[in-house]
């Protein structure tokens, strides 16, 4: 049996413990939802105030040059690149994940338009916005979206036939926390003649990603989850350099032009990933995102050449292993089942539990106690889920113990049955 003392001992030995001091976390909150909205970096309020008062207020239009507003998407993109196995100049921070997905999927489909291939393959369990964007793009561009079940990619009858134009996957499933082997899946897609589009929403800042080593084609990801960029923070987009000069950007705004300030009447795309930009960038939001990125990059100092993510990954796995062990030891017989893969190579930075009854209410009862996780509704294929994200930057082992202690109490006392926990809110 694992004890509270064991957890405290793990915290005492944790080299990353000091990273927590980078954040403002409300007193009494155990935050297990960094996979939905990362916590506030301490540096962000002052930095955003400075951008508003000095760069906007005093610098005014001059700040596009004097405060380097103009190259923010590329400069922040270079920081993201360090976390996802990409090189400088390959990533831009801009727009939302949904919009970036539209852009990269359009580009991939354009590359395949003369191939005779008509299918875009994705998983039924993918995040809905990804499926909605793919659905409308397929309709507009004459492709068909084919949805497969989780696990079908690994099956003996490959879905990767010579009809597949693009394989569009989310690397870590938002609901189950299951992770794909990006390198192997990309190789299989390429062997079948398909291009790959990877959504890194639950990967960037959460698990090591090796885009170039995996030879992926296109990727996008989210700024406000594990990257702590703030609500609605700009997202990012990456394209492999072999496509960089060629791909078509459907939202051909002036910020993606090779020379926007020439004000010429015809669009001429910027040579590299810069063409992913569309219009004028949200400078204040980008300033918040940079504070978030810096909190993750701070882990680089603990792991030198291997980058921030190797150090964070080791702790993330230790936290999720501990949570799983404690739930299994202390909540046995309470009807909880582990949904997230046990195998490290297949697990993201979250743990999902299912329960036939009361998943929503249990999460609400935990939130009332300050243990913030979330709930995701099931469907005919999948049970309701209690979802707990583990961000190694600001969570410790005693936090895991305390979270499970609250879960034990909520279940053993039947507290979750109270009416107040069974009324649904608009945002779950
Ligand atoms: C969170 C998430 C998104 C969010 O998209 P927005 O455009 O930021 O709303 C998209 N895809 C996946 C897989 C996600 O997990």
């Amino acid at each position: 049996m694992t004890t509270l003392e064991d957890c405290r001992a793990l915290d005492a030995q944790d080299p990353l413990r000091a990273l927590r001091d980078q954040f403002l976390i409300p007193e009494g909150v155990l935050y297990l939802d960094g996979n939905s909205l990362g916590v506030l970096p301490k540096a962000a309020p002052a930095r955003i105030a400075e951008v508003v008062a000095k760069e906007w207020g005093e610098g005014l239009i001059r700040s596009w040059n004097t405060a380097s507003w103009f190259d923010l998407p590329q400069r922040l993109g270079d920081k993201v690149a360090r976390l996802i196995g990409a090189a400088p100049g390959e990533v831009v921070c801009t727009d939302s994940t949904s919009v970036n997905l539209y852009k990269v999927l359009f580009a991939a489909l354009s590359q395949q338009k003369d191939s005779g291939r008509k299918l875009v393959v994705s998983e039924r369990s993918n995040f809905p916005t990804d499926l909605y964007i793919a659905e409308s793009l397929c309709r507009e561009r004459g492709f068909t979206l084919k949805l497969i079940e989780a696990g079908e990619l690994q099956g003996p009858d490959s879905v990767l036939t010579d009809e597949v134009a693009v394989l569009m996957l989310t690397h870590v499933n938002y609901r189950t926390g299951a992770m794909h082997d990006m390198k192997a899946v990309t190789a299989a897609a390429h062997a079948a003649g398909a291009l790959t589009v990877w959504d890194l929403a639950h990967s960037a800042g959460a698990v090591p990603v090796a885009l170039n080593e995996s030879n992926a084609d296109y990727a996008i990801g989210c700024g406000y989850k594990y990257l702590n960029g703030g609500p609605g923070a700009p997202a990012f987009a990456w394209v492999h350099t072999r496509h960089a000069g060629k791909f078509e950007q459907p939202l051909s705004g002036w910020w993606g032009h090779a020379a926007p300030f020439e004000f010429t009447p015809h669009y001429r795309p910027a040579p590299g990933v810069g063409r992913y930009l569309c219009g004028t960038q949200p400078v204040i939001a980008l300033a918040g995102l940079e504070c978030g990125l810096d909190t993750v990059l701070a882990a680089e100092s603990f792991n030198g050449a291997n980058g921030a993510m190797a150090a964070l990954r080791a702790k993330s796995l230790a936290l999720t292993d501990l949570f799983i062990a404690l739930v299994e030891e202390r909540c046995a017989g309470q009807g909880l089942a582990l949904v997230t893969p046990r195998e490290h190579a297949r697990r993201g930075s979250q743990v999902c539990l299912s329960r036939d009854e009361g998943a929503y209410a249990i999460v609400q009862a935990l939130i009332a106690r300050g243990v913030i996780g979330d709930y995701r509704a099931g469907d005919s294929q999948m049970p309701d889920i209690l979802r707990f994200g583990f961000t190694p930057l600001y969570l410790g082992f005693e936090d895991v113990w305390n979270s499970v202690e609250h879960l034990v109490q909520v279940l053993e006392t039947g507290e979750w049955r109270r009416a107040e926990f069974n009324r649904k809110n608009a945002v779950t």
Side-chain angles (χ1 to χ4, degrees):
M1 289 293 263
T2 314
T3 65
L4 174 57
E5 280 60 45
D6 297 333
C7 297
R8 287 183 174 149
L10 289 169
D11 278 331
Q13 296 156 15
D14 173 15
L16 301 182
R17 189 142 181 80
L19 292 172
R20 180 190 171 92
D21 296 336
Q22 302 182 99
F23 298 96
L24 290 167
I25 304 174
E27 209 37 54
V29 165
L30 284 170
Y31 195 68
L32 308 182
D33 220 353
N35 51 324
S36 255
L37 176 65
V39 299
L40 174 63
K42 259 184 202 160
R47 176 65 191 135
I48 290 168
E50 183 184 29
V51 170
V52 171
K54 291 187 84 160
E55 298 184 6
W56 178 14
E58 293 172 23
L60 289 168
I61 191 111
R62 293 168 289 193
S63 288
W64 285 108
N65 294 311
T66 56
S68 298
W69 284 356
F70 189 67
D71 58 10
L72 270 173
Q74 284 85 359
R75 197 162 59 73
L76 271 54
D78 287 352
K79 291 191 173 192
V80 171
R82 279 147 65 182
L83 302 172
I84 58 175
E90 293 181 358
V91 180
V92 282
C93 291
T94 188
D95 295 330
S96 66
T97 308
S98 304
V99 171
N100 286 335
L101 179 62
Y102 182 86
K103 293 185 288 191
V104 303
L105 183 57
F106 181 102
L109 294 179
S110 297
Q111 271 183 277
Q112 291 283 40
K113 70 177 184 292
D114 299 323
S115 67
R117 294 163 177 265
K118 286 292 167 208
L119 292 183
V120 173
V121 170
S122 194
E123 292 178 310
R124 190 178 303 282
S125 61
N126 200 345
F127 192 83
T129 202
D130 297 48
L131 300 181
Y132 303 159
I133 294 279
E135 218 172 20
S136 68
L137 249 179
C138 285
R139 196 164 51 233
E140 273 172 47
R141 308 278 296 168
F143 288 81
T144 302
L145 179 61
K146 179 183 162 89
L147 298 184
I148 59 174
E149 305 308 322
E152 240 183 291
L153 266 182
Q154 283 79 32
D157 305 318
S158 180
V159 293
L160 294 169
T161 64
D162 61 6
E163 290 178 281
V164 179
V166 174
L167 177 62
M168 180 191 88
L169 294 173
T170 295
H171 181 225
V172 175
N173 187 280
Y174 79 103
R175 212 157 43 165
T176 62
M179 180 163 72
H180 284 292
D181 180 339
M182 183 183 286
K183 195 171 181 176
V185 171
T186 300
H190 287 173
L195 292 169
T196 53
V197 170
W198 290 98
D199 188 328
L200 305 179
H202 289 271
S203 308
V207 297
V209 177
L211 285 174
N212 277 320
E213 194 196 316
S214 301
N215 205 22
D217 297 287
Y218 293 91
I220 46 126
C222 186
Y224 53 78
K225 293 174 178 162
Y226 291 94
L227 298 180
N228 307 316
F236 65 85
W238 170 87
V239 57
H240 194 284
T241 48
R242 69 175 165 275
H243 306 307
K246 296 181 238 158
F247 71 91
E248 269 182 68
Q249 143 74 299
L251 303 175
S252 48
W254 70 309
W255 272 62
H257 193 279
F261 288 93
E262 284 177 6
F263 295 103
T264 55
H266 295 293
Y267 183 69
R268 182 161 49 87
V273 76
R275 73 179 57 179
Y276 269 139
L277 303 181
C278 179
T280 307
Q281 301 299 306
V283 170
I284 300 168
L286 284 164
L289 175 62
E290 182 161 29
C291 294
L293 292 173
D294 288 343
T295 62
V296 187
L297 290 169
E300 281 182 343
S301 60
F302 295 88
N303 218 39
N306 288 328
M309 290 318 303
L312 290 169
R313 176 62 168 167
K315 181 170 170 190
S316 156
L317 286 171
L319 291 170
T320 51
D321 276 344
L322 175 66
F323 183 78
I324 293 168
L326 286 173
V327 166
E328 290 182 340
E329 284 169 20
R330 306 194 59 213
C331 303
Q334 293 287 357
L336 294 172
L338 179 68
V339 175
T340 303
R342 226 175 263 279
E343 197 189 328
H344 284 178
R346 298 210 51 235
R347 189 194 306 162
S349 198
Q350 68 187 56
V351 177
C352 299
L353 305 170
S354 68
R355 196 169 190 274
D356 290 340
E357 194 198 357
Y360 176 80
I362 294 165
V363 169
Q364 296 310 305
L366 286 170
I367 291 173
R369 288 164 165 264
V371 182
I372 304 181
D374 62 25
Y375 158 85
R376 288 292 175 260
D379 54 29
S380 58
Q381 324 263 333
M382 179 110 50
D384 290 349
I385 275 176
L386 301 85
R387 190 173 69 152
F388 303 101
F390 292 87
T391 307
L393 281 172
Y394 48 78
L395 285 174
F397 297 92
E398 185 171 349
D399 294 329
V400 174
W401 172 274
N402 289 332
S403 305
V404 175
E405 174 62 30
H406 282 290
L407 179 60
V408 169
Q409 289 177 20
V410 163
L411 290 167
E412 285 182 355
T413 62
E415 186 174 302
W416 61 274
R417 292 183 189 277
R418 302 215 304 247
E420 67 202 89
F421 299 136
N422 287 274
R423 276 188 291 271
K424 289 249 162 91
N425 294 317
V427 175
T428 59

